[in-house]
């Protein structure tokens, strides 16, 4: 029985060489060289190359072009052919050249986002975009109406800035209109209330200090006993000129202890008392229990003291006191 060798068949050789194909590792192709009397060797990568047989000479196959890199050629893929039309020309993808760049862009965006909910992100609108800015404030907690605001009271604060005043209500309405968040509106109002409260306390303290300073100056100028009498005379003048209404205006203006005003009221009160003495009503008694003779004696003593005083200003003050005592001792005269 005759045995057939596949390697001796021309079609068998062709099949074997054709089957030597490209390797998965990217090996080059080897061309088989054939001669009638020789063998051809190929450099194929699948099985290392097959040896051809021939009758005589020897032929060598061409070497393969080299090894492949084993990676997917992403540059050869046009990703725009596989996405929706609106994405092909989207500005955000304008610089994405291949699939690899797209993947890196996605990874970078995810790293920037972290674990945050994408719905919590917002775009900051322009300064002149009132509607857009209010939408942002709404997401941040801006209430639908003024009922979403609650102002806190300042301890021992000034009454006109209490949370239930008209000023507070007006501030809440303004805050909602302008888009102030409740915590910001409350903080701003609280700061103003505390500031005004401190200003009020400072003013009260200063008024009390000024009153003590003015009283001390008048006591030094008039003397302790005369001071009490003159206060009564000044009060008498206020009562005659305007009563409680005038007294309230003087005190609210912080002039209740003003030395200038007190001296003026003492002069006016003295004139009013003398006018009363000239009529049917008795002259007002401002206390002190001093008789006209005693008042005249005190006036003379003070007048002598003024004459002996070398300081002109102090001498004038003492003389004024002497004239007041003379006025009390002699109804119908005015101490100037």
């Amino acid at each position: 029985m005759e045995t057939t060798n596949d390697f001796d068949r021309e079609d068998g050789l062709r099949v074997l060489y054709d089957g030597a194909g490209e390797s998965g590792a990217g090996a080059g192709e080897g061309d088989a060289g054939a001669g009638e009397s020789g063998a051809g060797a190929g450099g194929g990568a699948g099985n290392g190359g097959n040896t051809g047989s021939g009758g005589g000479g020897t032929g060598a196959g061409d070497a393969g072009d080299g090894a492949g890199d084993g990676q997917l050629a992403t540059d050869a893929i046009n990703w725009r052919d596989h996405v929706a039309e609106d994405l092909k020309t989207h500005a955000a993808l304008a610089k994405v050249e291949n699939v690899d760049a797209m993947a890196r862009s996605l990874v970078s965006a995810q790293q920037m986002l972290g674990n945050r909910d994408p719905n919590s992100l917002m775009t900051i609108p322009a300064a002149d975009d009132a509607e857009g800015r209010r939408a942002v404030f709404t997401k941040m907690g801006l209430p639908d109406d003024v009922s979403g605001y609650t102002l806190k009271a300042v301890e021992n604060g000034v009454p006109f800035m209490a949370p239930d005043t008209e000023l507070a209500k007006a501030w809440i309405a303004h805050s909602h209109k302008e888009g102030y968040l409740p915590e910001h509106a409350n903080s701003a109002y609280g700061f103003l209330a505390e500031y005004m409260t401190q200003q009020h306390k400072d003013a009260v303290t200063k008024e009390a200090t000024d009153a003590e300073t003015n009283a001390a100056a008048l006591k030094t100028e008039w003397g302790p006993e005369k001071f009490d009498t003159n206060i009564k005379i000044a009060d008498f003048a206020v009562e005659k000129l305007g009563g409680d209404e005038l007294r309230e205006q003087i005190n609210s203006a912080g002039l209740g202890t003003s030395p200038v005003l007190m001296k003026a009221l003492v002069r006016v009160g003295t004139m009013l008392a003398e006018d009363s003495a000239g009529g049917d009503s008795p002259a007002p008694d401002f206390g002190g229990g001093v008789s006209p003779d005693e008042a005249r004696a005190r006036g003379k003593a003070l007048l002598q003291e003024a004459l002996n005083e070398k300081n002109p200003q102090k001498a004038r003050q003492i003389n004024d006191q002497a004239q007041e005592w003379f006025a009390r001792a002699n109804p119908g005269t005015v101490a100037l």
Side-chain angles (χ1 to χ4, degrees):
M1 182 175 181
E2 184 177 358
T3 303
T4 302
N5 190 337
D6 289 338
F7 290 100
D8 293 336
R9 293 168 51 187
E10 183 178 354
D11 59 341
L13 289 173
R14 185 167 58 250
V15 171
L16 288 175
Y17 278 109
D18 290 343
E22 299 175 351
S23 73
E29 298 178 349
D31 296 331
E36 291 187 3
S37 59
N47 54 11
N50 293 297
T51 303
S53 61
T58 304
D62 295 333
D65 292 334
D69 58 12
Q71 296 181 356
L72 179 63
T74 57
D75 289 339
I77 301 176
N78 188 352
W79 61 268
R80 287 182 172 81
D81 293 338
H82 305 280
V83 298
E85 289 296 326
D86 61 323
L87 294 177
K88 291 181 180 181
T89 58
H90 198 284
L93 301 175
K95 296 182 179 181
V96 177
E97 298 178 351
N98 51 47
V99 175
D100 183 71
M102 181 182 292
R104 292 182 185 280
S105 177
L106 178 61
V107 171
S108 177
Q110 184 61 44
Q111 288 176 340
M112 292 180 63
L113 180 62
N115 296 325
R116 291 175 292 180
D117 181 1
N119 294 325
S120 66
L121 301 179
M122 63 183 70
T123 301
I124 300 178
D128 58 351
D129 184 4
E131 183 177 350
R133 294 174 72 85
R134 193 167 189 86
V136 170
F137 296 150
T138 299
K139 289 184 178 181
M140 295 175 63
L142 179 66
D144 295 333
D145 52 48
V146 296
S147 63
Y149 293 83
T150 301
L151 299 180
K152 298 180 181 178
V154 175
E155 185 176 357
N156 298 322
V158 287
F160 65 85
M161 291 203 69
D164 57 349
T165 60
E166 292 301 319
L167 176 60
K169 295 177 182 177
W171 170 253
I172 288 176
H174 173 78
S175 297
H176 184 260
K177 177 184 177 182
E178 295 298 324
Y180 301 162
L181 299 183
E183 57 268 29
H184 297 157
N186 187 63
S187 176
Y189 192 81
F191 168 80
L192 184 60
E194 290 179 358
Y195 179 83
M196 296 302 296
T197 297
Q198 188 60 49
Q199 290 292 306
H200 177 71
K201 290 180 179 179
D202 292 344
V204 171
T205 300
K206 183 178 184 304
E207 184 178 347
T209 301
D210 290 346
E212 292 178 0
T213 301
N214 292 338
L218 289 174
K219 283 182 180 180
T220 300
E221 180 178 346
W222 289 338
E225 183 177 342
K226 186 66 174 178
F227 175 82
D228 293 337
T229 301
N230 283 348
I231 292 298
K232 294 178 180 180
I233 296 174
D235 189 65
F236 171 75
V238 171
E239 187 66 31
K240 287 292 185 179
L241 294 174
D244 292 339
E245 184 177 359
L246 177 59
R247 186 178 292 106
E248 182 179 351
Q249 290 294 319
I250 292 174
N251 290 332
S252 62
L255 298 174
T257 60
S258 168
V260 175
L261 180 60
M262 290 298 294
K263 291 177 182 180
L265 289 175
V266 167
R267 291 172 181 257
V268 172
T270 301
M271 289 187 290
L272 292 174
E274 292 169 352
D275 290 342
S276 298
D280 297 333
S281 301
D285 182 10
F286 299 117
V290 179
S291 65
D293 290 340
E294 187 176 357
R296 191 176 298 107
R298 291 188 180 185
K300 290 181 179 180
L302 287 172
L303 186 59
Q304 185 61 46
E305 183 179 344
L307 293 174
N308 296 332
E309 177 60 49
K310 296 180 180 181
N311 186 320
Q313 183 177 2
K314 189 174 182 180
R316 174 64 178 171
Q317 295 174 352
I318 298 174
N319 182 71
D320 289 344
Q321 296 178 29
Q323 296 303 320
E324 291 174 0
W325 281 108
F326 286 139
R328 294 182 62 183
N330 301 286
T333 61
V334 178
L336 298 176

